[in-house]
Structures are given as structure tokens and as C-alpha cells.
Amino acid sequence: MSDFDIQLLAIATGGVVLLVALIVSRIRMHPLLALLLTSVLVGLLAGLPMDKVVKSIEVGAGNTLGAVGLVVALGAMLGKIMAENGVTDGIADTIIKRTSVPMLPWAMSGVAFVVGIPMFFEVGLVVLLPLVFTVARKLEQGSAIRGSAYVYVGVPVIAALASMHGMVPPHPGPLTAIASLKTNVGATMLYGFVAAIPAIVLGGPVYGAFIAPRLAVKPDASLVGQFSRTEVAVPIGGQWRPGLATSVLVALLPAILMLLNAVAELVLPPSSAVARLAAFVGDPVIAMLFGVVFAASVLVYTKSGDAENLRDAMSASLKPIANVLVIIAGGGAFQHVLTDAKVGDAIVHLSQQFAFSPLILGWLISMLLSVSTGSATVGIVGAAGLLAPLATAEPVNTPLLALAIGCGSLFFNYANHAGFWLVKESFGMTMGEATKTISVIQSIVSVVGLVMVLLMNLLPPLV
């Protein structure tokens, strides 16, 4: 490990500290400005040429908006349509009537577990926000719990989505590790499901019951109103109300399309026409687009609803999320600058100083790369690439190694991760509140996942 590696790690750490200080100190700088300013300073101090710093910021912000921004915007439209036509109210009423208050977090974990099988973390959260906000608002009105109803309902959802995203194929992280290590998809998926269950339980309902009474989180009223209709009004689609089956189909159609793609990836050759079609309709942007069009058609157009009001409602749905989108873009810029500055290489060199078992080493390298660069993908790719020769040279359970790497990538999602800002801004949290929720939740999930990996390694391997 060279002096330059140490310098890079010090710059990256100082950048995160500066970012937090700009946001929470008396300056109270807007997160977007703080992210961009920190990105510039970190890039220049790390030795990137000035033109490279500018390019890195632009590419990072653009890539993040392309991957997440369109999905968030379409999700806002879908949520608005569902809220205005009573879809989320109907589903929330069904969940609340059939589930006691203490069991609500468990029910929300189950819903997020299913939705999280095919969906990225950010996409799944966008899809489930209308339901989370509606259930939480009804709980809040009934004064059924102490503390924040939004944290009480939201924490289990975050834990389940994070667990599935990092542990279970066909999510890109686990699949990348599987491909690099040349291991078995089926075995890794089975191990992932087994590890995800206790991680979801401890990081979701258990931690949620602990932290919710200690926080007073409440999202911006305009965002709550967008996803959860707070007054009695005539739906855009007229007086007709959708049944439960129609409501569930409208809410979960994007998840169904992505699940079909996930199944096709596992059972069909990539070159087949069906696999290519499934990949197209299962892409997050296309799936969300189809979901919005389907919701508008079923709830409004086919019921002779007011098309003008529908268009106005969808336009209005984008206003409350504008702040969320630009901050997510800023997070992407910061992450890309850290990556271009080769902070990941410094972490790899640091990890080579340790002598651990391959499973612990895989988790550790992935964790350090993810925390330092703000990218779980960088963590997984770096760890899997570094350990691929070791996996073939030593007797190691490679499906469990792939799972350990995926778990490591989840640890302490913080200010240089786009997902951190999506949760923070969606729920209207302070930096401290976001750290106590998403950062701690993902750390719990990551550590529990590693413990499960080590326990399962004591059993005979599946392959």
C-alpha cells in the first residue's frame, strides 16, 4: 500500500466529513450544492485534471438520473394516479383491517420481500412509497403507535428491499459476483433467500419497533398528499372504484414485468426471442412506463374519466419530487468522482494487507469499496475480480463467496450513495435521521448476511 493510496483514502474520508458538515452545520447548505462542491474539491485534491473533474460530475449525475430519475418520475405519476383513484387507499384499508398494529411491519416486510425479488432497491421503494405513505397516514390518524408512523412502516420495507437487492439473483450485484466467480446461480439464490430472511426480520420489524418511537419523521405534506389522498374527492376516473384485484394488479404490474424478466434470465438462453422480449418489458424504465399507461387506461380512459384532469395530476406529481431528483443526481456525481479518482484501487491495496478467510475477505473488500466509492456495484465487481483467482485455487464454497460479497456491498449506505438521498428526501429526514434508518438498516442486513454465510459454510455445500 503506497503513500498515494493513504492520501486518497484520507481525501475520500475528508470529503464525506465536509459534505456532512456543509449540510448540518449553521451554513445549512442545500444538499445538491454541498454534493457538487465536495465533488469538485475531492476531484481536484485527488489529482484529477480540471476537465476530468467536470466530465466526471456530468457523467455521474447523468448516469444516475438516467438509471433512477426516470423511474422515480414515472413512479410519482403512477403513485398519483393510484392515490387519486383510491387504489392505495383500498389496499391500505385491506392491510390495516386484516392485520393488527404490531403485525403491520411484518405484513409490509412480506409485501416488500415479494416486490424486491425482481426490483432494484430504488425502483422497489418508488413503487411501494404510495402504500407506505397511505398505511402510515392512517396509523398516524388513529394514534396507534408512539413516534413516527412513517418510520414504523417504512423501515421493514427498506430492510426487505435492501436484502433482496444485495443477496438474491437476478439482481445485478449477485449476478455480477456469480459471473466473475463462475459459480452456480441456483445455489446462490437458495443461499440468498435463507440469509435474507433473518436479515429482513432483524433489520426490519425488530429494528423498526426500536427506532420508530425515537424519531418524529414525517414527509413533506405535498409528497404525502401526492401518494395518499387526504381528502374525499371525486376520483379522476369518475365515481367508479377499483376492486382489490384490480388495485393489486395496477400497483404490482411493474414488479410482475420485472419478475418475468428475472425468470427468463434464469431459464432461457439470452439469444432467444422470448428472453429478449422479456428483457425489454422487464427493464425498470419500460416496466414503469407500461405500469403508468396501464393504470391510466384501466382507471381513467376505459371508465370515461377526465383525461384533462389526469394530465394535470401527472404534471403536478412531478413538482414534489424535483428536489429529490436533483439531490440524487448530486449523489451520483460525488460517487463517480470517487470512482474516477481510483479510491477503489486504494481500498483493494488496503485489503491485501489482511489475512482472512475468503468469505470474510470478500465481505470486507466489497464493504470497503462500497462505503468509500458510494457504489455497491464497484464493491461487488472489485471484490469478485480480486478473489476470482483465489476461488479457483483454494477449496471454497463459491456460491457462499458470491453471497458474502453481495452482503458486504450493502454495509452503511451513506451520503455518497444515491439510495441514501432517495430515502432521506422521500421521507423528509435530517442527515441524522437518515443515518439512523437506512444506514443502520443496511448495516444490520449486511452483518446478519455475513453471519448466515459463515453458519451455512459449516454445512455440506449445495454444489
Side-chain angles (χ1 to χ4, degrees):
M1 188 173 179
S2 66
D3 291 341
F4 182 67
D5 290 333
I6 297 174
Q7 180 182 335
L8 277 181
L9 294 178
I11 291 171
T13 303
V16 173
V17 172
L18 173 64
L19 173 64
V20 175
L22 290 174
I23 295 173
V24 303
S25 67
R26 291 184 179 181
I27 299 176
R28 289 289 189 266
M29 186 174 287
H30 189 278
L32 175 62
L33 296 179
L35 283 162
L36 293 179
L37 180 60
T38 304
S39 299
V40 171
L41 292 175
V42 167
L44 293 176
L45 289 174
L48 292 178
M50 288 183 286
D51 60 335
K52 179 66 174 179
V53 171
V54 174
K55 186 67 174 179
S56 186
I57 290 173
E58 292 175 348
V59 171
N63 288 349
T64 302
L65 275 183
V68 179
L70 285 175
V71 172
V72 173
L74 290 169
M77 290 183 176
L78 179 60
K80 184 69 171 179
I81 296 171
M82 292 194 300
E84 290 292 330
N85 287 279
V87 170
T88 45
D89 255 359
I91 297 175
D93 283 338
T94 301
I95 292 175
I96 290 176
K97 288 176 182 176
R98 298 183 182 182
T99 309
S100 64
V101 172
M103 292 303 295
L104 264 178
W106 300 88
M108 296 301 292
S109 291
V111 173
F113 179 89
V114 174
V115 170
I117 292 174
M119 286 192 168
F120 296 178
F121 173 83
E122 292 86 355
V123 181
L125 184 62
V126 169
V127 168
L128 289 176
L129 273 181
L131 183 60
V132 170
F133 282 7
T134 305
V135 171
R137 179 177 60 82
K138 291 178 180 293
L139 273 182
E140 192 177 47
Q141 290 173 343
S143 301
I145 64 166
R146 292 188 301 115
S148 171
Y150 295 89
V151 172
Y152 186 71
V153 176
V155 163
V157 170
I158 293 170
L161 292 175
S163 298
M164 302 307 288
H165 183 84
M167 298 184 188
V168 181
H171 288 284
L175 280 180
T176 299
I178 289 167
S180 298
L181 299 173
K182 297 180 174 59
T183 190
N184 184 275
V185 174
T188 307
M189 178 176 285
L190 182 57
Y191 282 136
F193 278 123
V194 173
I197 292 172
I200 292 170
V201 170
L202 293 175
V206 173
Y207 180 67
F210 167 79
I211 195 62
R214 292 165 172 79
L215 297 178
V217 169
K218 185 171 183 178
D220 184 83
S222 62
L223 203 57
V224 175
Q226 169 170 309
F227 286 141
S228 175
R229 203 153 48 93
T230 54
E231 69 274 344
V232 178
V234 177
I236 299 174
Q239 296 293 346
W240 174 80
R241 295 276 182 165
L244 181 60
T246 301
S247 297
V248 171
L249 179 59
V250 168
L252 294 184
L253 180 62
I256 293 170
L257 293 176
M258 292 184 209
L259 182 59
L260 291 175
N261 179 39
V263 173
E265 285 182 337
L266 296 176
V267 302
L268 295 174
S271 58
S272 70
V274 175
R276 291 199 302 270
L277 178 62
F280 174 72
V281 300
D283 178 86
V285 173
I286 301 300
M288 291 299 298
L289 175 61
F290 283 177
V292 173
V293 173
F294 179 76
S297 300
V298 170
L299 300 177
V300 181
Y301 295 135
T302 61
K303 303 301 176 183
S304 301
D306 192 323
E308 186 69 26
N309 283 348
L310 172 63
R311 187 173 66 178
D312 291 343
M314 287 195 287
S315 295
S317 72
L318 300 177
K319 295 177 182 178
I321 66 166
N323 195 56
V324 177
L325 290 177
V326 295
I327 292 173
I328 289 174
F334 186 34
Q335 175 230 306
H336 203 272
V337 167
L338 290 172
T339 302
D340 283 351
K342 304 299 182 183
V343 173
D345 290 349
I347 291 292
V348 171
H349 297 155
L350 174 66
S351 67
Q352 292 171 342
Q353 313 300 313
F354 304 117
F356 294 115
S357 75
L359 297 179
I360 296 178
L361 190 59
W363 182 90
L364 183 64
I365 296 172
S366 180
M367 179 272 289
L368 291 172
L369 285 170
S370 178
V371 170
S372 62
T373 65
S375 171
T377 302
V378 171
I380 290 173
V381 170
L386 186 66
L387 295 180
L390 183 65
T392 57
E394 294 187 14
V396 59
N397 188 324
T398 50
L400 282 180
L401 178 56
L403 177 58
I405 290 171
C407 292
S409 72
L410 296 173
F411 190 85
F412 205 71
N413 185 306
Y414 197 53
N416 53 345
H417 286 73
F420 175 90
W421 294 103
L422 178 61
V423 171
K424 177 187 178 300
E425 297 302 318
S426 296
F427 284 85
M429 295 176 173
T430 64
M431 291 292 291
E433 289 167 341
T435 303
K436 292 175 184 177
T437 50
I438 181 171
S439 300
V440 174
I441 291 166
Q442 296 211 185
S443 298
I444 292 172
V445 167
S446 177
V447 172
V448 172
L450 175 62
V451 171
M452 290 301 297
V453 164
L454 298 177
L455 290 175
M456 288 187 287
N457 192 48
L458 300 175
L459 303 175
L462 294 179
V463 291

